[in-house]
Amino acid sequence: MIVQDPIQVIVWDCLNNYEYDNAIFLAERLHAEVNSEETTFLLGTCYYRAGRVNEAHHLLQSITLTLPQSRYLLAKCSVELKLYKEAETTLGPNLDVVSEFGEQAPYVLQLLATIYNNTERRIKAADAYRRALMLNPFMWKCFTQLCNMGEKVDPHQVFHNHNTDFSFGVSTLVNLVSNSENISFVNSNISNNTSLNTNVTPNNAASRTPMTMSTSITPDTQAPVKRMHSVFSGMAPIPFSPSFGMLPMDESPILYTPTLTDSNEQKAIPKIVNSLRAQMGQLKDAVFSPAPRCTLGPAPRRSSRLFSNNNSSYSVKENNKSPSRKFVAPKSPSRKNKQRTAKNIKSSVVESNERAKSIETVAPTITSKNSTGVALLNLMKDLGEAYRALSFLDCKNAIKLFQEIPTKQLASPWVQTMIARAHYELAQYEAAAKIFAEIRKLHPNRTEGMDIYSTCLWHLQREAQLSALAHELVELDRNDSIAWLAAGNCFSLHKERETALKFFKRAVQINPEGAYAHALLGHEYAGAEETDKALESFRTAVSIDPRSYVAWFGIATVCARQERWKASEIHIRRALAIHPHSGVLRCQLGLAQAALGKMDRALATLERAVALDTENPLCRFHRASVLLRAGRPHDALDDLHHLKNIAPRESLVYYLLGKVHNKLGNSHLALMHFSWATDLDPKGTGGHIKEGFDPSKQEDPPERPA
């Protein structure tokens, strides 16, 4: 005879230990024997965790789903397969997610937000993310998504300490506490006293399985006591077929075989379940109550002593002396009855003491978990404030806030990656590359942020380092789009555009939802003068992420090359609205204004660009070119002499100096600088940038904004 629950426990144990093949094999055997929604959900979970999403989707789609957990899993499979309409239909009309999905509601809302985002319903997506955060403030992904969408979200409100009263997860937390304290019926014999076995060994499979927590898929079996109760309450055995085979009952550590003496105790099990259910309810109050008070069971006086400063390990003798507890013996008992009564009293008191000790053990743990939750929320509030500043590209403030994070968190690779990103957005490529290099040294298998690192090396013209990075990332994981972005940047730096385009296309193929990959592909197309394909890539990027200022900048530069200056100004303003602190973006705006004849406004914009990014030679070069065009060649000389010192081998600087001296009537100096420019660039490969000082014929190099 086979009981369903023990097989499920074994499957969950395999899943928890990452033995997906074993879990699938056993779950398939169980599903073949018992074709129910619960076994279908279990098998679908095994398929999904093993990465076999198509199989999980087909399996769950083949039956009518009534349980919320099953519908949620099917919706996740549909989203991964990009079947967004089907996923939304599976989750329902979203009238009351909390009452329908219970503790799973925040995750359902997050999944709905993903669906809305991918179908360009961003207002509904933002609302769903906010509702998920209201239910569960630990949903960090929801917070970051809101920030990335440009939503004004206050981390002080989201991660405020009052959210530690989170009613969404009280029963889950209590179940976790119960499991950590090994409160379970598994492997326990139901004795005459029906006491709780608190000495379950770590080898107990059920103590490690989510089945005793939130993985039980029926609402009335989520408590661990009720889940385990079904094993012992004479559950009707499931018929087995010869092909399925017989599992030896005596070898399963989770099966209970009733004995003759235990049969009478079956009637007492409902009372035990009700009592422990009440205790679990009281433990919920203990988790979040201001003072560690808890009253369990029918003995309030004993419970009131559990969390006092006195020693609660009182003895049998102390209890017998208590004035509130009197035991009256029969008038004429027999000697045998006296001995039996004394034995029962002693057994009852010992049992009560053991239970009191177990509760005393649980209570500090609960209080500790609550304190840990508050500390975590405070940390998330600090990280959230810093991340929000970075997402709105207030990068200097973001760096300051991240550096105020506690030392251990500051040293973590994620925080260091965020700081490096902030330096990159400020066009401080040297500082960013230094941090990224240290991350690579300490965490060589980490790829997050390495696409930004490769772009920093592209700007710094570090060919050897960029080649090494690209090679290492491709060798590490050929199915990671970040590796191919690094490879594309590497060949772009070497001016091998065909190969660079090939690798950028590969990155887009692996991750078609990567806005940054589409933007880099667009810049490479623009450098190859394939303007139509460049515009297509840029527009794809902004459709994926409307806040991709790199893509808006790309559209503006393509419009400038087509001498569509009004369109260029409109698109560069869109980019500046996202990143107002970028000198490169303001520089491009100044060129568009100069081309439209707004010389005073253009010079003011370029002054602001130089002030924002004093170390960026491009800003000074374009200011000099506009000054020359505005009839101020003497003012242009200051910028050009500065550029000559910091970029002594840049042919365009000498070319522009030649034009300035020619304007000033210094013919011999003009010819000398023209000659130097030709020596530095005999083939004229930089000729397409010569028009930079004549905005009416602007054609910039494939420069990428900070």
Side-chain angles (χ1 to χ4, degrees):
M1 297 297 182
I2 296 170
V3 180
Q4 179 176 341
D5 278 18
I7 309 303
Q8 289 179 318
V9 170
I10 295 171
V11 172
W12 283 113
D13 195 50
C14 291
L15 290 174
N16 290 342
N17 288 283
Y18 318 109
E19 281 294 342
Y20 299 133
D21 291 340
N22 284 349
I24 290 172
F25 176 80
L26 294 172
E28 286 180 341
R29 306 286 73 74
L30 180 60
H31 183 259
E33 186 71 16
V34 187
N35 191 354
S36 66
E37 183 175 351
E38 187 169 356
T39 61
T40 302
F41 168 76
L42 181 61
L43 180 57
T45 300
C46 295
Y47 285 147
Y48 182 84
R49 292 197 185 184
R52 294 158 63 171
V53 180
N54 277 298
E55 289 182 73
H57 177 263
H58 178 75
L59 175 71
L60 292 165
Q61 207 179 31
S62 64
I63 66 170
T64 301
L65 301 178
T66 59
L67 300 174
Q69 287 86 346
S70 304
R71 290 163 51 204
Y72 174 71
L73 179 59
L74 177 57
K76 279 194 72 70
C77 294
S78 300
V79 168
E80 291 202 17
L81 297 173
K82 303 187 185 308
L83 304 173
Y84 301 121
K85 184 176 181 180
E86 178 186 307
E88 188 174 355
T89 304
T90 300
L91 291 175
N94 189 26
L95 297 177
D96 192 353
V97 175
V98 177
S99 63
E100 188 172 357
F101 288 90
E103 295 173 6
Q104 215 170 13
Y107 302 95
V108 173
L109 287 167
Q110 179 177 279
L111 190 62
L112 280 169
T114 302
I115 296 169
Y116 295 146
N117 232 344
N118 290 332
T119 52
E120 298 185 8
R121 290 175 287 173
R122 303 191 189 281
I123 295 176
K124 295 189 73 173
D127 180 62
Y129 281 133
R130 290 181 186 275
R131 290 174 62 194
L133 275 173
M134 288 176 63
L135 292 173
N136 184 349
F138 296 106
M139 303 285 284
W140 175 256
K141 181 180 178 181
C142 294
F143 176 80
T144 58
Q145 288 295 330
L146 283 169
C147 291
N148 295 339
M149 292 169 66
E151 294 290 321
K152 302 291 185 180
V153 52
D154 186 0
H156 291 273
Q157 293 182 357
V158 173
F159 306 118
H160 195 269
N161 288 348
H162 75 268
N163 283 325
T164 53
D165 295 332
F166 29 73
S167 58
F168 68 92
V170 171
S171 59
T172 299
L173 183 56
V174 171
N175 289 338
L176 286 169
V177 173
S178 301
N179 275 296
S180 66
E181 297 300 324
N182 294 323
I183 300 178
S184 174
F185 278 115
V186 179
N187 275 345
S188 64
N189 291 325
I190 304 179
S191 64
N192 291 334
N193 293 323
T194 62
S195 62
L196 209 63
N197 179 16
T198 60
N199 297 319
V200 181
T201 62
N203 291 330
N204 186 350
S207 67
R208 299 192 304 271
T209 175
M211 191 62 79
T212 58
M213 295 181 282
S214 60
T215 53
S216 177
I217 64 171
T218 54
D220 60 341
T221 59
Q222 288 187 356
V225 174
K226 298 177 79 173
R227 166 59 61 184
M228 291 301 109
H229 170 228
S230 63
V231 179
F232 301 105
S233 58
M235 179 179 179
I238 301 169
F240 68 95
S241 61
S243 61
F244 184 83
M246 172 76 79
L247 289 181
M249 302 294 287
D250 56 345
E251 292 181 9
S252 176
I254 55 175
L255 298 180
Y256 169 70
T257 305
T259 63
L260 184 61
T261 56
D262 291 334
S263 60
N264 293 329
E265 297 298 329
Q266 295 294 329
K267 298 177 181 179
I269 289 180
K271 295 181 180 179
I272 300 169
V273 172
N274 291 333
S275 174
L276 289 173
R277 187 190 305 160
Q279 293 179 16
M280 289 298 174
Q282 299 290 345
L283 283 173
K284 292 179 186 179
D285 297 332
V287 173
F288 305 113
S289 61
R293 296 178 300 162
C294 183
T295 302
L296 303 181
R301 287 171 295 180
R302 178 177 299 179
S303 298
S304 66
R305 297 181 59 186
L306 292 179
F307 300 101
S308 65
N309 294 328
N310 299 329
N311 183 8
S312 60
S313 301
Y314 42 85
S315 64
V316 177
K317 184 176 180 180
E318 287 175 331
N319 278 312
N320 288 335
K321 289 181 178 180
S322 173
S324 62
R325 184 181 294 272
K326 296 183 180 180
F327 298 95
V328 181
K331 292 182 179 180
S332 58
S334 65
R335 187 170 186 177
K336 183 176 181 180
N337 286 339
K338 282 184 178 180
Q339 294 175 350
R340 183 176 300 169
T341 302
K343 183 177 180 180
N344 289 340
I345 293 171
K346 183 176 180 179
S347 175
S348 177
V349 174
V350 169
E351 172 200 344
S352 301
N353 289 339
E354 289 179 354
R355 184 170 298 180
K357 289 178 182 178
S358 67
I359 296 170
E360 287 176 335
T361 304
V362 173
T365 305
I366 293 172
T367 306
S368 175
K369 287 180 182 291
N370 193 31
S371 301
T372 302
V374 173
L376 178 58
L377 281 175
N378 288 333
L379 175 62
M380 292 177 71
K381 179 175 64 178
D382 294 338
L383 289 172
E385 193 172 358
Y387 187 87
R388 181 184 63 171
L390 178 59
S391 64
F392 283 93
L393 297 166
D394 184 7
C395 300
K396 292 181 180 178
N397 187 35
I399 293 171
K400 177 178 175 294
L401 292 171
F402 274 121
Q403 289 176 340
E404 293 174 354
I405 298 295
T407 305
K408 290 183 179 179
Q409 295 295 330
L410 178 61
S412 66
W414 183 83
V415 173
Q416 289 297 307
T417 299
M418 295 301 105
I419 295 174
R421 273 190 55 192
H423 283 294
Y424 160 77
E425 301 290 2
L426 290 170
Q428 297 172 356
Y429 305 122
E430 189 70 51
K434 184 178 179 181
I435 297 173
F436 277 126
E438 187 65 21
I439 294 172
R440 286 289 302 160
K441 180 180 177 181
L442 297 175
H443 308 276
N445 293 328
R446 186 180 179 87
T447 62
E448 182 183 1
M450 292 302 111
D451 48 348
I452 304 296
Y453 182 28
S454 68
T455 302
C456 290
L457 296 176
W458 185 93
H459 281 289
L460 294 170
Q461 305 287 297
R462 305 271 178 84
E463 296 184 5
Q465 286 180 256
L466 183 51
S467 297
L469 175 66
H471 177 75
E472 291 170 3
L473 292 176
V474 171
E475 287 296 314
L476 183 64
D477 187 358
R478 289 177 173 271
N479 293 318
D480 189 348
S481 64
I482 290 177
W484 297 108
L485 287 178
N489 274 333
C490 177
F491 283 93
S492 174
L493 184 58
H494 286 88
K495 307 298 183 185
E496 298 182 31
R497 299 202 182 278
E498 289 299 323
T499 308
L501 286 169
K502 176 182 176 181
F503 288 151
F504 284 135
K505 289 177 184 177
R506 176 59 179 156
V508 167
Q509 183 183 25
I510 293 173
N511 182 20
E513 301 300 320
Y516 189 61
H518 285 283
L520 290 184
L521 176 61
H523 279 291
E524 203 60 34
Y525 274 132
E529 299 185 4
E530 297 186 47
T531 55
D532 290 340
K533 291 182 178 180
L535 285 174
E536 182 183 355
S537 295
F538 290 137
R539 286 167 180 160
T540 302
V542 296
S543 68
I544 295 170
D545 180 10
R547 299 188 74 246
S548 175
Y549 72 89
V550 177
W552 289 115
F553 170 82
I555 296 174
T557 56
V558 170
C559 291
R561 291 176 185 181
Q562 296 173 338
E563 299 187 11
R564 296 163 50 205
W565 294 106
K566 189 64 179 176
S568 178
E569 183 183 13
I570 292 172
H571 287 95
I572 204 64
R573 287 190 181 278
R574 291 287 298 270
L576 271 170
I578 300 166
H579 192 356
H581 306 293
S582 171
V584 173
L585 297 182
R586 289 198 178 274
C587 182
Q588 182 66 30
L589 175 62
L591 291 175
Q593 291 170 335
L596 291 169
K598 307 172 185 177
M599 300 304 296
D600 292 339
R601 193 176 298 178
L603 286 172
T605 301
L606 289 166
E607 290 286 346
R608 175 65 174 158
V610 173
L612 284 171
D613 197 354
T614 56
E615 301 301 320
N616 192 332
L618 186 67
C619 296
R620 288 183 179 273
F621 178 82
H622 285 307
R623 183 172 68 173
S625 68
V626 173
L627 284 169
L628 176 62
R629 180 178 170 82
R632 297 166 57 183
H634 286 287
D635 295 331
L637 279 177
D638 293 335
D639 279 332
L640 291 172
H641 286 150
H642 178 79
L643 290 172
K644 186 177 178 181
N645 292 330
I646 65 174
R649 298 192 60 80
E650 179 55 59
S651 63
L652 289 176
V653 173
Y654 292 95
Y655 188 88
L656 189 55
L657 272 168
K659 294 206 70 172
V660 169
H661 284 296
N662 189 46
K663 188 79 172 178
L664 293 171
N666 302 325
S667 301
H668 63 291
L669 290 175
L671 289 173
M672 182 175 67
H673 283 91
F674 284 139
S675 176
W676 284 344
T678 304
D679 290 340
L680 289 169
D681 187 11
K683 295 183 179 180
T685 56
H688 62 286
I689 318 178
K690 293 176 183 178
E691 315 304 332
F693 44 81
D694 186 0
S696 64
K697 300 179 181 180
Q698 157 71 17
E699 184 172 338
D700 284 312
E703 183 68 32
R704 299 170 191 172

